[in-house]
Amino acid sequence: MPVKNEIIRILEQNRDKAVSGQQLAEALGVSRAAVWKAVKALEGEGYAIQATQNKGYRLRPESDAISEEGIRAFLPEDWRGYPVQALGQVDSTNLYARRFCTGDGPAAALVAADCQTKGRGRLGKAFYSPAGTGVYMSLLLRVDQPLQDFLLVTLAAAVAVTRTLGRYADVKPAIKWVNDVYVGEKKVCGILTEAVSDFESGMLEAAIVGVGINVRPARFPEELEDVAGPVPGLRVSRNRLIAEIAREIYALSRDLKAPALLAAYRADSMVLGRQVAFRLDGRERTGRAVDIGPDGSLLVETDNGPVTLKAGEISVRPLSGGDCR
């Protein structure tokens, strides 16, 4: 691995302190001149690195470039053999991740990008993905589960996102069934999970989990200004956020039927106990969301009896004040 890549990995792991040129040189088995040359190359690539005499090098707080080395710095050892790709720009991280979906492909693969030109949400909607302000990532997972359990993969991803954001922000994120994460009345994250399945066997061969998070303020299109927003007070680099979300999704997906997963999803839900609106059989209906089923479905009590939703979109009726969609 090139010296500059190793330096980024070390600096990412030590954001709270400076690492001396001598320490870097000894750790990498190179000269201090080679360290200096690599740091200059990194600065030329857009990394903001602070060099302080008698202290060493450290990444400036504003330095938040996405890189493979920066992501791998926070992944566990058992990820060493899995592909990790960091891209400046891509049409869609989900589409890119599909190239790893061959019969003899890896058990997992992670793709992240600074921006997407054709980011996608559920039901064919576009996902706004500007450069420098968000996290756009896709995780390919080999999931040996019946196809009817596919919805549970999205539940695992939503729990992973709320759990990770909760560690690094002074807010409590909440999940709007089934794939959006909110802080207050603002959507901060969207999740798009796509299946690769064998319809003859009825088994899910793999899942591609796309996650888009608004990390910093951005100029949203007019139709999104009142809906979307960044995670308030988020204190973590994008590389670390990507790695920790991937770790959480990977761990939770190992046992999609675990009672702890449904319990965590229910605890983080923003819809349970509230009035929701949805379309069923071509008409608008309303009811009270009462539970999440063992397959990830939403159980709603209506005036005409119970309804089980396994797909579609819902609107959450306000507890007071404005609506949250």
Side-chain angles (χ1 to χ4, degrees):
M1 183 180 292
V3 172
K4 66 177 184 177
N5 294 6
E6 289 286 0
I7 288 175
I8 278 297
R9 179 182 61 80
I10 294 171
L11 295 183
E12 282 282 4
Q13 291 174 325
N14 294 275
R15 275 185 170 263
D16 58 339
K17 62 183 178 181
V19 183
S20 72
Q22 186 62 38
Q23 288 175 304
L24 290 170
E26 291 175 358
L28 302 179
V30 299
S31 67
R32 291 189 63 175
V35 169
W36 180 87
K37 183 177 179 180
V39 167
K40 290 302 177 185
L42 289 167
E43 289 175 335
E45 294 176 10
Y47 290 94
I49 299 174
Q50 179 179 355
T52 305
Q53 192 172 6
N54 298 325
K55 289 187 178 180
Y57 303 101
R58 66 183 300 176
L59 288 172
R60 295 181 183 273
E62 68 271 20
S63 182
D64 202 20
I66 293 174
S67 67
E68 177 187 341
E69 296 72 35
I71 295 169
R72 285 193 182 276
F74 302 104
L75 288 173
E77 280 297 312
D78 58 3
W79 271 76
R80 186 175 295 275
Y82 297 158
V84 175
Q85 297 220 345
L87 309 169
Q89 178 177 294
V90 70
D91 53 356
S92 159
T93 57
N94 267 29
L95 289 175
Y96 194 96
R98 279 189 175 273
R99 66 184 58 196
F100 298 106
C101 224
T102 58
D104 57 351
L110 177 59
V111 178
D114 186 55
C115 71
Q116 298 179 113
T117 59
K118 296 180 181 177
R120 296 178 298 142
R122 290 179 70 240
L123 305 178
K125 294 181 179 179
F127 189 89
Y128 186 57
S129 314
T133 65
V135 157
Y136 317 112
M137 58 181 283
S138 293
L139 181 64
L140 170 74
L141 297 169
R142 300 289 177 177
V143 184
D144 186 21
Q145 295 282 345
L147 189 56
Q148 61 263 30
D149 293 337
F150 175 63
L151 194 59
L152 294 174
V153 180
T154 303
L155 265 66
V159 170
V161 169
T162 57
R163 187 174 289 177
T164 306
L165 292 179
R167 285 198 290 266
Y168 297 108
D170 298 324
V171 292
K172 180 172 174 52
I175 304 166
K176 177 189 166 193
W177 185 85
V178 60
N179 68 322
D180 293 332
V181 176
Y182 276 70
V183 172
E185 295 187 357
K186 294 287 189 178
K187 177 179 172 179
V188 299
C189 169
I191 299 166
L192 175 64
T193 308
E194 298 179 295
V196 179
S197 59
D198 183 339
F199 286 100
E200 290 187 2
S201 66
M203 295 297 290
L204 183 64
E205 295 182 350
I208 300 173
V209 185
V211 177
I213 303 175
N214 305 321
V215 173
R216 288 192 284 272
R219 289 194 62 179
F220 290 100
E222 186 177 350
E223 65 271 17
L224 297 177
E225 285 182 351
D226 295 331
V227 178
V231 182
L234 192 59
R235 306 176 306 275
V236 65
S237 70
R238 289 191 293 173
N239 285 324
R240 185 164 194 158
L241 187 61
I242 291 164
E244 294 200 11
I245 288 173
R247 289 171 58 177
E248 290 280 4
I249 297 174
Y250 184 81
L252 290 169
S253 68
R254 297 304 90 190
D255 187 2
L256 292 171
K257 294 296 185 68
L261 172 58
L262 274 179
Y265 189 90
R266 291 182 179 116
D268 288 341
S269 172
M270 65 179 282
V271 306
L272 294 183
R274 297 180 65 176
Q275 289 292 116
V276 299
F278 56 94
R279 292 191 68 83
L280 188 66
D281 299 329
R283 64 188 184 92
E284 187 89 1
R285 300 182 64 178
T286 61
R288 181 173 176 268
V290 295
D291 200 6
I292 303 296
D295 60 351
S297 57
L298 181 66
L299 310 182
V300 183
E301 288 287 353
T302 74
D303 291 340
N304 297 318
V307 171
T308 299
L309 300 178
K310 295 188 176 183
E313 289 199 348
I314 63 170
S315 293
V316 183
R317 295 315 192 198
L319 291 172
S320 62
D323 198 0
C324 181
R325 296 184 183 274

